[in-house]
Amino acid sequence: TQNLQAMANLASVYGVKVIMASVPPADHFPWRAEIGNPVEKIRALNDWIKSVCAAQGYTYADYWPALALDSGAMRPEFSADGVHPNSTAYAAMSPYTLAAVAAALA
């Protein structure tokens, strides 16, 4: 979180419009089974990112409405491994990205 905050602050100091996006949903990491279900940690991180954006006037792009199941997993059609978005997911994310860019430039 400190790294995200530092990058956003630095960008802002130099006049760069800051857009921070949600971490995509995932309910497991196939290569790190010992982590267990990361849904709550991802939700907490996204809540923190959203609160930083609100407090500092940054734009928040929330991809969860497009990508997540109610359980917090990524929709199966959007990823081969349940973690990394595929081209179909990126197409679903595109309107959210475009809206965030428009909001940041407004």
Side-chain angles (χ1 to χ4, degrees), residues 69-82:
L69 296 172
D70 289 342
S71 66
M74 188 173 303
R75 296 180 184 278
E77 66 271 21
F78 290 154
S79 177
D81 63 4

Side-chain angles (χ1 to χ4, degrees), residues 5-105:
Q5 183 69 67
M7 287 186 292
N9 289 347
L10 188 60
S12 189
V13 164
Y14 286 99
V16 175
K17 301 287 184 179
V18 176
I19 300 171
M20 298 175 89
S22 60
V23 175
D27 66 352
H28 70 289
F29 298 118
W31 57 92
R32 294 282 307 269
E34 71 276 10
I35 291 176
N37 187 328
V39 170
E40 291 311 314
K41 287 182 181 181
I42 295 171
R43 283 185 172 143
L45 178 56
N46 286 339
D47 287 345
W48 178 84
I49 295 169
K50 187 175 183 178
S51 72
V52 167
C53 288
Q56 297 185 4
Y58 303 150
T59 302
Y60 180 65
D62 186 3
Y63 295 126
W64 274 56
L67 301 179
L69 296 172
D70 289 342
S71 66
M74 188 173 303
R75 296 180 184 278
E77 66 271 21
F78 290 154
S79 177
D81 63 4
V83 178
H84 299 95
N86 61 24
S87 60
T88 304
Y90 284 116
M93 294 163 68
S94 178
Y96 295 87
T97 304
L98 294 173
V101 170
L105 295 177

